[in-house]
Amino acid sequence: MNKRRGYATLAALTSVVALVSGAIYIGVGAAQGRAAVRTAVPAPAVWVGTWSAAPAKAAPAVGGHAGRSVRNVVHTSIGGTAARITLSNLLGEQPLKIAQVSLAVRAGHGPAAVPGTLRRVTFRGAGAVTVAAGGHRVSDPVVLGIPYDGDLLVTVATASHGGQVTVHPQARQNSYVADGDRTQDAGAEAYTRRTGAWQHLTAVDVLTRDARGAVVAIGDSITDGVTSTSDANRRWPDVVSDRLNRRGKDHYGVLNQGISGNRLLTDGRGPSTLARFDRDVLAQAGVRTVIVAIGINDLLRGTDTGADRITGGYAELARQAHARGLRVIGATLMPCAGHRRCTPALNAVREKVNAAIRTGRIFDSVVDFDRALRDPYAPDRLRPAYDSGDHLHPSDAGYARMARTVDPARF
């Protein structure tokens, strides 16, 4: 059984309570002889993803041994009345023993928690949990007001180092490390070291009545935001979240499932997008729409990769998503001339792939990152203002331009 769906019962019970409460209210009104009035019944609370990071790499635990606490800093897209987290040992080779976990709302820009928000996280009622090699565990619900567009602290204290552990190395976010079990420390004093990777943690879901669902962006380093400013949440999915949830209605969780170096067709840095699509997209809580922004590394790092193979991979992703009732938006591949691996022959294949995407025969909708960011005087290159300097990855301004290209109405 998929443990990420293991708490559907709670959401179902919440729905029943809301519906029964509405029925009682209407029934009382009728019994008192009042005229029949249409009464709005509150929408049921459901679990929707607010943050995620794809398992990307096996690495030594921060500090190299047990008895340390990692305080992961994560940024929410939507808020809610409760949260649950997912801990992963997908890439570990032995059981991962967790001593204790806590959740809090972050205060300011360091590792301190907002007073009164620190909560102990449990797993089937227990504070300690063992995550099997290759597995994951979803926590019990934690009752806590989760803010929109805010930072959370998810602190994990390990009881054993577990050898190689599962991390997301290109976080573009500083998290913190302390000696000992400091999960219940609301203050910052014990957290004297920093790490640029998220460790163990792969998802945070919220219980909400306000969100219509989640949008999942799956891709490579461009989606991962590797050249964006650290600790600033300027990856293009972050900016999409800001645009969506600033509108005051139709809120959506926005989940970033980018892995730097990832390819559509073949394994390399992480499993291929085809191989991880079920786990990293289809299994996310409340997913309704997926944005597919992958394929440039198949050209830059692959061998004998033609346009037909890439578009065939896209078609398979769309087929899987449609089988789950999801809407699929496909992104064109952006220019890369000037990058050391980007040859004229590669660019010709890229243009064929983009032409196929633009026909509208593969995806339900298209977001044209290529046209939005290319230099009008040299269309095989990024516009200088949008180029981070390596002629492949966007600058902060480039990521913002990508986000503005995504039309919220298409969700």
Side-chain angles (χ1 to χ4, degrees):
M1 178 180 177
N2 187 332
K3 294 186 178 65
R4 289 188 53 74
R5 306 190 188 278
Y7 295 94
T9 302
L10 176 63
L13 288 174
T14 306
S15 304
V16 171
V17 170
L19 291 172
V20 170
S21 299
I24 290 172
Y25 180 83
I26 295 169
V28 170
Q32 293 176 347
R34 291 196 294 265
V37 177
R38 288 185 179 272
T39 303
V41 177
V46 294
W47 288 109
V48 177
T50 187
W51 174 89
S52 69
K57 183 180 179 181
V62 173
H65 58 77
R68 300 248 167 109
S69 298
V70 178
R71 179 154 281 181
N72 296 284
V73 178
V74 303
H75 191 72
T76 65
S77 52
I78 56 171
T81 56
R84 66 184 185 188
I85 69 167
T86 299
L87 298 180
S88 176
N89 192 22
L90 178 70
L91 305 176
E93 297 179 347
Q94 55 187 291
L96 174 66
K97 295 181 179 180
I98 303 295
Q100 195 168 193
V101 182
S102 67
L103 172 69
V105 178
R106 186 189 192 192
H109 302 289
V114 171
T117 67
L118 191 68
R119 300 287 188 274
R120 183 170 174 262
V121 179
T122 61
F123 299 80
R124 296 186 178 180
V129 64
T130 297
V131 187
H136 69 279
R137 293 293 298 270
V138 179
S139 76
D140 301 330
V142 179
V143 177
L144 177 65
I146 305 298
Y148 278 78
D149 192 26
D151 288 344
L152 301 178
L153 305 174
V154 181
T155 309
V156 182
T158 52
S160 66
H161 62 77
Q164 298 284 95
V165 300
T166 300
V167 303
H168 188 98
Q170 296 285 353
R172 308 305 294 169
Q173 172 67 61
N174 278 305
S175 293
Y176 301 89
V177 184
D179 291 325
D181 182 349
R182 295 289 186 169
T183 56
Q184 300 305 304
D185 284 22
E189 293 79 9
Y191 289 90
T192 57
R193 292 182 297 283
R194 298 185 180 190
T195 174
W198 289 306
Q199 186 166 292
H200 309 308
L201 182 70
T202 57
V204 179
D205 306 328
V206 294
L207 193 63
T208 175
R209 296 180 187 276
D210 300 326
R212 297 192 61 186
V215 177
V216 182
I218 189 165
D220 47 38
S221 55
I222 294 173
T223 297
D224 212 6
V226 297
T227 48
S228 64
T229 300
S230 291
D231 297 329
N233 302 304
R234 292 182 180 173
R235 313 163 194 86
W236 70 262
D238 295 324
V239 185
V240 168
S241 175
D242 291 341
R243 293 186 63 221
L244 277 175
N245 295 312
R246 190 181 296 133
R247 289 155 52 97
K249 61 178 182 178
D250 296 343
H251 296 297
Y252 288 88
V254 178
L255 306 179
N256 189 332
Q257 293 294 81
I259 295 179
S260 297
N262 200 226
R263 290 180 283 192
L264 170 67
L265 302 173
T266 57
D267 295 347
R269 296 188 182 177
S272 71
T273 303
L274 283 168
R276 68 187 181 96
F277 194 70
D278 182 76
R279 181 193 71 225
D280 288 352
V281 174
L282 303 183
Q284 297 302 316
V287 59
R288 290 187 57 174
T289 300
V290 54
I291 303 176
V292 176
I294 193 75
I296 194 65
N297 285 323
D298 292 77
L299 302 182
L300 292 171
R301 301 175 183 274
T303 57
D304 191 29
T305 302
D308 289 345
R309 289 193 63 207
I310 292 176
T311 56
Y314 291 154
E316 175 57 21
L317 294 182
R319 184 196 68 77
Q320 292 182 35
H322 289 155
R324 300 289 187 92
L326 306 185
R327 182 170 180 79
V328 190
I329 300 173
T332 53
L333 303 180
M334 292 190 298
C336 60
H339 186 271
R340 59 189 178 86
R341 295 190 182 188
C342 190
T343 65
L346 182 153
N347 189 63
V349 176
R350 182 186 67 85
E351 290 181 343
K352 288 181 180 179
V353 170
N354 285 349
I357 292 172
R358 292 184 183 114
T359 65
R361 296 172 188 160
I362 302 173
F363 300 111
D364 300 312
S365 185
V366 175
V367 56
D368 205 333
F369 289 155
D370 173 40
R371 284 180 178 161
L373 273 75
R374 69 191 181 193
D375 188 335
Y377 299 101
D380 59 346
R381 290 178 175 266
L382 290 170
R383 185 189 293 253
Y386 298 151
D387 190 343
S388 67
D390 66 5
H391 311 301
L392 177 65
H393 299 95
S395 61
D396 283 353
Y399 285 125
R401 179 71 181 106
M402 291 172 71
R404 292 195 301 273
T405 306
V406 178
D407 182 2
R410 295 179 182 177
F411 298 155

